[in-house]
Amino acid sequence: MLKRLSLIFMLIALSATLLAACGKGDDDEPEEDEAPPKVKFQPKGNEGTISGVVKFDGPVPTPQRIDMSGDANCAAAPGAKTVDDVTVTDGKLANVYVYLKAPSLDRFSYDVPDANVLDQQGCRYTPRVLGLMVGQTLRVTNSDPTAHNVHPSPRQNTEWNKSQPPNAPPIEAKFNRPETLIPVKCNQHPWMKAHVGVLAHPYFAVTDNEGKYSIKDVPPGKYTLTAWHEKFGEQPMKDFEVKASESKTQDFSFGAKAAYAPTSLKVEPAFIVPSR
Amino acid sequence: MAEGTGSEQLEKRVDTPEPDPIADRSFSMPLLLFSLLMIGTLVWALYDEVVGQRPWKDLQSDFVSRYSRRLKRIKPQQKNAEAEIKQSDEYQQLNTAVLDAEAEVKTRATEIQKRISQIDRQVNDITEPFQNARAWIAAKNYEMEMTPSESGKNSIRQNLAERNKEPIQVAYHDESGKVVEDDPNFHELETMYNKLRDEKAQLVTELIKLQAPANEARQKRDKYLQDNLVGLTEQQVSQLITKMDNFEYRIKQIHVAEANIVDRCESCHLGAREPITLTAARSSIGRKVFVSHPEKDLLTIHDPERFGCSTCHGGNGRATVSAEKGHGRYKHWLWPLYYKENVQAGCNQCHNADRVTPMATVLNRGKDLFQNRGCVGCHRYEGFDRDADALATARQSIKQLELDRDARLREIAQTRLAADTAPSDEEATRLLARVDALRQMISQIDAQIDQHDVQSKYLMQDVKRVGPNLKEMKAKLRKEWIPVWLSDPQAFRPGTKMPTFRLADEEIKALSAFLWQAALGRDDAERATVSMRVARQPVGNEAHGKELFKSIGCLACHSIDGRAIDMGDQKIGGDFAADLSRVGEKANYDYIVRWVHNPRERISPYSPSQKKDLLPSDYQAKNLPFRFGDDSSKSPIDGRELLVQNMTVMPNFRLSDQDARDIATFLTNWRRAMPGYNEPRYPDASFMDDTSLFARGAKLAKDYGCAGCHEIRGYEDEQRIGTELTPEGSKPLERLDFALLTEDAKMGVDPFTGKDVARGKWYDHKGFFEYKLRSPGVYEKGKERVEDQVLRMPNIYLEDQDIDALTTFLLGSVVTSLPQSIRYNPEGQKKQVQDGWWVVQKYNCMGCHNVLIGQESTLMKLPMYQGADGKEQLPPRLTSEGARVNPDWLLHFLNDPSLTTDAERGTLGRRPVGPVRTAAQPATAQTQAGTARPQNAGTQELGLLAQAMMQTNPIPGLPTQAGPLEPQPGMNRNGVRRYLKARMPTFNFSPNELQALVNFFMGADAQQQPHIPEPMVPLTADEQGLARALFTSNAAPCLKCHMTGDPGHDALATAPNFLASAERLKPAWTARWLLDPQLISPGTSMPSELFVHDDQRDRWVFNGPTPPAFQSYEGDHVNLLVRYMFQLSPDETRRLGTGGAPAAPQTAPATATPATAPAQTSRSFDKQRFDKHWRKTLASMKGPLRVP
Amino acid sequence: MDWHQLWEITTLPDNIPIVAMLFMIPFFAWLGLRQARANDRLIAELETDPKLAKTHHRKTWPWRPHWARELHVWPYLLRIEFLATVIVTAILFIWSITLNAPLEEPANPNLTMNPSKAPWYFLGLQEMLVYFDPWIAGVVMPSLMIVGLMAFPYVDSNPLGVGYYTWKQRKVAIGAFLFGFISWIILIIIGTFMRGPGWIWFWPGQTWDHNTVIYEVNRDLPDIFGITTQPWKGVFGAIVVAIFFAIFGYITHKLVTWDKFEKKLFQRHSLLQYLVFQFFAITILWALPAKLLARQLFRIKYVMVTPWFNI
């Protein structure tokens, strides 16, 4: 009989322990790390080359004249007083920024060449479009007898706006994040515009006056090859493949009416007079 | 018993005896069993005590191991970084400076040290015997004082005297360090002792003086290291490591007695306050429990030592037995830990009076939604309808005061009577005096009544409604459209703030019929009024309208289909006000014109005292012209204040008639151009004139609280229909009506999908609010309700994050138990800021401006304001407005942003309102239009729809020719930044709000009020010359961008006119602005580095070639320019060669002419004080400006 | 069936004792009666065999002649007691480790919880409130019970059955006690398991829905008979109560004079003892269950309604 007794007590005890089983959920498994550190890029020698011409079909828009009377020094400066955002010489479009995009490229770090110069001359930026690498120095010089202010307005980089009086020392700056493209403006001479493309890799180029461009030492692989123009927007070309030590040619062509690019406020200041 | 009796049985011997049930039974088995069980339980108890109840122990050990690992990993990195910095020349210089300073004083310092140690030793030697003797003497003295008899005293005196002479044996080390025996008497010993100590004191002070420079240098050096090193120094890291090595395993507790907070959260969340940022990433600490607090700033503002953790986060700060208990996520804990998405609810229990709490973006969003989406129309929430509340109290107290007044009057009469029949003359005089006193009291009461009257006028102006005024419906809306809209607003205008009421068709019919019939235009008199006030308008220029709509700032509040303004096909603009994409399909063109031109203009004024809308007849009765406005807001009938404005926050953009027409035309017409667009056809709505539906509709309108957001005839003073939400967050859970979903909630079942909810049980406030907001009807699921009891809360359009925001807000709406001492109830300027925010948010100032640091205005996000060109067009940032402008000017500006002079106002005159044109107007209208753009109105024709609507316009006898609109002072221009396309509109702020805003800006920048400007030093003649030279020099860009008043030049200008600065700006701010504008307004067109610091003379000089005259100038260039700017006069500008005549009245700021007045007013000039002031300001500026 | 909720109620730390009782009372009742039965058999035999009765002291059946005639407290009693101690200690340990004190949120005067239940041992009283008016249920009944329990020793006129388990010699005492005790426990069990929000009756496994709506009219007995005015209500009630006393007095009498032995005992009673016994037997042992059934089966609220108290 006592055996049974003991059994019953055991049961009570056990059930009690069961009731007590209360778990505490604490779900903290470690999160995965953000991107691993980049490795130095070693050329394997089988790199290819991309080159081509950017054409412009359709009627060439007649450049608008600029009234520089606001600043005597600019008015005095040589060169046509027209807006040169669209520079077309016999059907070839200049100042087009062509660059590669691919995750494979971002895994490496590349050596940064020394400074790239943006000169202010005759109240214009030369070149109008230029490419930079992340961490590469942008040297802005002023060879005008008048004061300018250099005002890049990036989105992913820090914005600055510095005054540069005549024959002042060049302004040097770096952009530490890839961004295509950063507009640069001189607020004192509203017509002065430039665009700076910043990439983490050296595979970009800007078309010259014959509309030619070439990107060298491209490691074989699949890329998105994009051509960008400040007026006509972007033309991305997906799955653009470069085989080992191949030299590819790829032409682009922009038309007068371009893909939709966010239209800025129609600021039509008096300095632009419709040419007749 | 066949075998006979038991005794016989006794004799029988049994061969196999049965065992005795008690004696022969062994208990060892159960004993053993249960003893073991007991021991087992003992062990269990022990384990439970040590481990089971203290889970934080293994957490702590885990943390220690992980953290030390991490520290050891970063230590070498920091070491290298530090080493690099130490290599740098700056550091080397600083370091050498330290060494030099030390070397310089080395010899003397060591001497002193030596001497001090000697003294110490000597003092040490003689202290014991000296104190010994002194103690004995003191004791004796006491004894003597206590001795009663003189003889006794004498004997002790003698005793003392002897003792004083007695030599005391002392042995001390002398300078050379060998021991000297000596036996001075007490006095000698005392003097020696004191001498030594004095000497030591002197030496110590000298030593400190000596080492001061060295210490200073050292601090400089270390500071440099700190400034340039990212993260901790190696030393600090190793300190942390040691801290981990001898880590104390115990409950880490924060205890705040005053608030009765006991938080042991950090027993597990050990990383929360570590100096190194720890994340859950593998490379970091790798466990969520240990991550550091994401907002270091918050922790500095709300120091946990003072505020604890659970105060903000909720949860059971005391519990340590399990995460579940600690986080308070169990039945009996009423304040569970807030979930991640609602964490900011914690802010609200102390910051509930703040409309905007910096850093609490989600909470703020919640409050915005609560106000903008019209929740406040049905639910009372303390603070959210302050104007209405204040108005109510004001009216109440007026009644009260009037009663008092009568009482006093009665008392006067009685006292007089008493005086006449007073028993004695004294009594009489006393009573008469009393009468006089009462008279004065009455005058005081009158003053109060007047004050309240004025207040109620202002407040009436401040009270706004979320929805449009439905009294003007007949003039505004297309009749057939109304029922369509009511049945499903989202269908017509996705995302609209008009909620969807769950109405049956017949209900919709009744409701729309009622609204239509309740609107103005019931009888001929009203129709006549409406048609007089809403005149026919000619068609405008769509293209120009579009341009204006894009640029003038409409998009800061309104949104529109991107295709309308060639900006992609997404909806674009702000969500503060309606989406205007399809406004043309519902609204009458004439009305839109009128509305765009001046939204505040009512068709007829409403008299709260009479509860009726006044008609011309009411005015004629008193033969007054039918005219009302801010300047004539008294009722012709009873002289009480009238409601003379539409209760909308939409401001007046001071458009010319033509521009208003253009915008209206654009809004009405743009969609016709779109491919595949066809004019919508709405079902016939003749039933809306069926008067039999009126009563039913009226009831519905009442039940569903339409009047909470809309102005409806007969419902002007309607009360809110919803529950008050102020304490909703701390409402007992049982009081929240989960209805039939209670079980689902407890089981964690989603009522929509029937699946399990991710976070499990949702039987809590969060769950209730979320489902209620997602679909208010949900708690009616499966319930049978008769009409009157049906849940009336409509379906509101809310994105998921909106729901989170509102939930956060509601969760935070608690009756807090925290003591006043740790809650946020600011005073003085902070209070002003707190109050100001309500106005700022009410009118959506943040749609155009950056008011809160780190906040982006709606415009800033729009594509057309990207890039340098766009940025030039952005409205100014106001984060430093208080420091920038003179409050008096600000008041003036906010009141009339066009800064119109009285002279200009005079020229406008006031036309009699109505279709009749006087000779004057077309001319003015022409000129105004002319200034806007080449006149080509009427060339276009309206969309079919608009035309259709003109036909269906319910108002008969509309005049055919264009009716004039109220003239607008300061038309088509900004007061200050005339170059901006975006226009600062006129908000018709009441004086209350003007004050609130000015105080807000001043308070935000801790500016003293009233503002007494710094005395401005007049420029000497040659200083003037210098400044002018600098201004005009090539190198100086000033006049290239800043307006001068010369129209030709100003066309290019992108910055305000200097002439305004004198009375607008504050010199100190101007100087800082000149030095680095990017600090104050990042992205501004004004360049930095215009000046460089000249360290020799400690001043700022112009960066670039200065005119030769400057070689001799000693002063500070910034200072010079500021003074020049503040004393600039129109003819001086002209002398600057920009030909800036004080231009035509509508371009030159009215304020310009006497610009130099404040500067030249006879303020005595105190050179020293002035220079001191400037040196101070500039010195204070150098610091931050050095860093790039 | 809502097993989840049933489980929640049974595992509520507060309810552990009553749940345990569900098992333990029958068990111990059975244990005791079993022993009693054995003794009764023995007694029967000894009565037939005086010789044996003289020599024999152990009251255990079946007795074997070669068994020890006497057993000493040590070790035979103490070892059992010791075992019991060990067991109880162990149970207490387990209990105190596994189940924490059933603390709830701080009391909120603005919000009484629903259902708001007394601790388990008072639930019987609370349940009684359903059947009698507060005065009776809260004051009169409890004190009557206590007084009754105190009185029982004095109304006991039975010389036998002391110091050992027996049924035959103490039918009335044991029967009365078990009846009272078990009905009390039943009240507690009802209060624990069957009373949900609003003290509404829920069968075990029926969901305790806060929004439950039930239709239930309880009427006073007089009203049923159309007597709606005082003092007649009171008078009528008094009569009914009197009749009740008469009937159940008779039944009790029949029970206590069931067989010869009982009759003998009845003879030994003084009148006072008898009346006292009758009074308590009727007012507590009979009235309580009677009222319970009247309420649950016939929805009768009160039998006797007076301005001062109701029964």
Side-chain angles (χ1 to χ4, degrees), chain A residues 2 28 146-147 161 185 193, chain B residues 27 289 869 872 1040 1084 1088:
Chain A
L2 266 165
D28 46 12
T146 182
N161 174 5
K185 184 182 180 182
K193 297 261 177 59
Chain B
F27 275 84
V289 211
D869 290 345
E872 274 179 356
K1040 286 183 194 150
T1084 176
S1088 345

Side-chain angles (χ1 to χ4, degrees), chain C:
Chain C
M1 288 301 271
D2 187 346
W3 295 117
H4 169 264
Q5 177 188 280
L6 188 60
W7 175 247
E8 266 186 353
I9 300 170
T10 26
T11 53
L12 205 67
D14 237 2
N15 294 344
I16 293 302
I18 191 68
V19 175
M21 276 193 178
L22 269 175
F23 301 98
M24 283 156 76
I25 286 162
F27 171 70
F28 284 110
W30 165 77
L31 201 62
L33 288 174
R34 187 164 164 285
Q35 185 61 46
R37 210 170 115 267
N39 290 354
D40 291 342
R41 287 223 228 92
L42 175 64
I43 291 165
E45 174 169 352
L46 293 183
E47 278 166 351
T48 60
D49 188 345
K51 187 135 136 279
L52 181 61
K54 274 202 196 55
T55 58
H56 185 75
H57 299 285
R58 283 175 65 185
K59 296 201 169 45
T60 310
W61 182 263
W63 181 77
R64 295 281 172 274
H66 55 276
W67 288 354
R69 289 166 176 278
E70 295 175 340
L71 285 172
H72 300 290
V73 168
W74 174 259
Y76 298 114
L77 174 59
L78 286 184
R79 65 180 185 182
I80 295 183
E81 291 179 346
F82 179 67
L83 180 61
T85 330
V86 171
I87 293 169
V88 171
T89 324
I91 292 174
L92 283 180
F93 265 125
I94 295 169
W95 194 333
S96 51
I97 293 170
T98 49
L99 302 179
N100 295 328
L103 296 180
E104 298 182 345
E105 62 262 27
N108 174 358
N110 307 326
L111 179 81
T112 48
M113 56 196 298
N114 181 12
S116 59
K117 293 193 174 185
W120 67 270
Y121 42 83
F122 277 147
L123 275 179
L125 274 176
Q126 198 178 353
E127 177 64 13
M128 263 166 66
L129 283 168
V130 178
Y131 308 110
F132 299 93
D133 77 18
W135 165 245
I136 304 284
V139 183
V140 178
M141 280 293 197
S143 27
L144 278 183
M145 288 175 201
I146 294 159
V147 177
L149 289 172
M150 278 153 55
F152 268 154
Y154 303 101
V155 299
D156 177 18
S157 60
N158 183 352
L160 300 176
V162 181
Y164 53 89
Y165 290 99
T166 169
W167 164 250
K168 277 212 183 90
Q169 300 173 351
R170 282 208 168 277
K171 290 209 186 79
V172 176
I174 294 177
F177 171 78
L178 280 181
F179 182 76
F181 184 61
I182 288 173
S183 50
W184 187 245
I185 295 299
I186 288 174
L187 277 182
I188 295 182
I189 287 171
I190 292 175
T192 313
F193 291 93
M194 319 213 174
R195 290 305 186 175
W199 213 256
I200 297 168
W201 183 285
F202 291 86
W203 292 105
Q206 204 177 339
T207 310
W208 287 9
D209 180 359
H210 279 255
N211 313 334
T212 313
V213 185
I214 56 162
Y215 175 76
E216 168 177 313
V217 190
N218 298 316
R219 289 168 303 171
D220 299 339
L221 189 63
D223 300 342
I224 298 176
F225 289 87
I227 302 165
T228 53
T229 53
Q230 291 293 9
W232 307 118
K233 277 180 113 169
V235 173
F236 176 83
I239 294 165
V240 175
V241 172
I243 295 169
F244 174 83
F245 265 74
I247 294 170
F248 280 88
Y250 179 71
I251 295 174
T252 324
H253 181 78
K254 278 280 161 243
L255 286 178
V256 294
T257 58
W258 194 253
D259 58 20
K260 262 190 27 265
F261 180 70
E262 306 296 334
K263 283 209 178 62
K264 275 215 199 78
L265 289 182
F266 177 60
Q267 302 305 334
R268 295 168 56 93
H269 272 115
S270 70
L271 177 63
L272 179 60
Q273 279 178 318
Y274 178 69
L275 290 182
V276 168
F277 174 76
Q278 274 283 14
F279 174 71
F280 285 114
I282 299 167
T283 44
I284 297 173
L285 296 182
W286 293 126
L288 192 57
K291 187 70 201 298
L292 191 154
L293 294 174
R295 173 60 174 273
Q296 296 296 5
L297 300 181
F298 308 112
R299 298 257 158 264
I300 290 171
K301 194 153 166 236
Y302 295 128
V303 174
M304 178 180 175
V305 184
T306 71
W308 312 279
F309 67 91
N310 307 314
I311 294 174

Side-chain angles (χ1 to χ4, degrees), chain A residues 1-3 5-7 9-10 13 16-17 20 23-34 67 69-71 73 145-151 153-155 159-169 171 183-191 193 260-271, chain B residues 25 27 29-30 33-34 37 44 52 55 59 66 279-284 286-290 321-324 547 550-551 565-568 863-873 981-982 1034-1037 1040-1041 1048-1049 1051-1052 1054 1078 1082-1090 1102-1105 1188:
Chain A
M1 167 195 102
L2 266 165
K3 281 244 166 36
L5 221 176
S6 60
L7 275 178
F9 279 124
M10 288 298 256
T17 40
K24 48 177 170 60
D26 190 357
D27 57 305
D28 46 12
E29 66 290 341
E31 284 163 3
E32 277 322 312
D33 278 332
E34 47 288 343
D67 164 17
S69 61
D71 185 334
N73 301 291
T146 182
H148 291 293
N149 71 301
V150 190
H151 185 185
S153 43
R155 287 205 189 75
E159 178 170 4
W160 48 272
N161 174 5
K162 292 181 180 170
S163 162
Q164 192 172 34
N167 49 49
I171 299 171
V184 181
K185 184 182 180 182
C186 169
N187 299 85
Q188 298 164 41
H189 309 104
W191 61 83
K193 297 261 177 59
Y260 160 73
T263 61
S264 121
L265 269 183
K266 256 219 233 102
V267 201
E268 273 174 8
F271 67 79
Chain B
R25 142 81 57 98
F27 275 84
M29 189 53 201
L33 230 145
F34 284 108
L37 176 65
W44 183 10
L59 274 170
R66 285 165 180 272
T279 68
R282 241 179 251 290
S283 66
S284 183
R287 228 181 136 174
K288 287 209 187 90
V289 211
F290 300 139
V321 291
S322 74
E324 184 206 19
E547 206 37 54
K550 261 168 79 173
S551 56
I565 48 176
D566 325 322
M567 296 212 172
M864 61 259 216
Y865 288 102
Q866 309 305 329
D869 290 345
K871 286 210 168 100
E872 274 179 356
Q873 282 296 320
K981 300 242 165 206
N1034 272 344
K1040 286 183 194 150
C1041 300
H1049 173 277
L1052 277 142
T1054 56
Q1078 300 296 329
T1084 176
S1085 319
M1086 173 91 170
S1088 345
E1089 300 194 355
L1090 284 165
F1102 183 68
N1103 172 16

Side-chain angles (χ1 to χ4, degrees), chain B residues 589-759:
Chain B
Y589 170 75
D590 304 329
Y591 188 87
I592 303 180
V593 175
R594 198 167 165 285
W595 178 268
V596 172
H597 180 266
N598 177 4
R600 301 291 177 88
E601 194 178 331
R602 284 178 77 92
I603 287 181
S604 84
Y606 170 72
S607 154
S609 50
Q610 304 251 310
K611 307 222 173 310
K612 65 173 280 202
D613 302 273
L614 299 188
L615 298 177
S617 50
D618 299 307
Y619 281 77
Q620 278 151 20
K622 297 271 186 310
N623 51 44
L624 291 162
F626 183 49
R627 177 187 302 157
F628 51 90
D630 298 344
D631 47 3
S632 54
S633 62
K634 293 239 184 294
S635 159
I637 302 171
D638 58 5
R640 306 302 294 275
E641 284 298 329
L642 293 172
L643 180 58
V644 290
Q645 282 188 22
N646 266 330
M647 300 162 92
T648 175
V649 293
M650 167 133 174
N652 176 346
F653 276 82
R654 305 189 301 278
L655 294 161
S656 70
D657 304 19
Q658 191 49 49
D659 287 350
R661 294 192 194 102
D662 294 348
I663 292 177
T665 315
F666 161 68
L667 290 173
T668 332
N669 272 9
W670 76 270
R671 284 185 100 239
R672 293 169 60 228
M674 291 297 119
Y677 169 79
N678 44 8
E679 304 282 350
R681 301 259 169 271
Y682 296 121
D684 161 70
S686 48
F687 60 81
M688 286 169 68
D689 297 317
D690 173 358
T691 48
S692 64
L693 293 173
F694 188 88
R696 174 103 172 89
K699 183 176 183 312
L700 285 167
K702 193 179 180 60
D703 290 350
Y704 285 94
C706 305
C709 297
H710 297 284
E711 202 181 331
I712 302 171
R713 171 150 29 186
Y715 288 142
E716 288 88 353
D717 312 336
E718 202 56 14
Q719 291 306 314
R720 291 183 169 65
I721 63 163
T723 46
E724 167 158 10
L725 294 182
T726 318
E728 191 69 359
S730 48
K731 215 183 217 180
L733 196 52
E734 291 79 358
R735 297 263 172 91
L736 298 180
D737 182 14
F738 282 80
L740 300 184
L741 297 188
T742 315
E743 286 314 301
D744 286 3
K746 285 180 175 165
M747 292 302 194
V749 180
D750 184 307
F752 301 119
T753 61
K755 298 196 185 64
D756 289 1
V757 177
R759 78 180 172 98

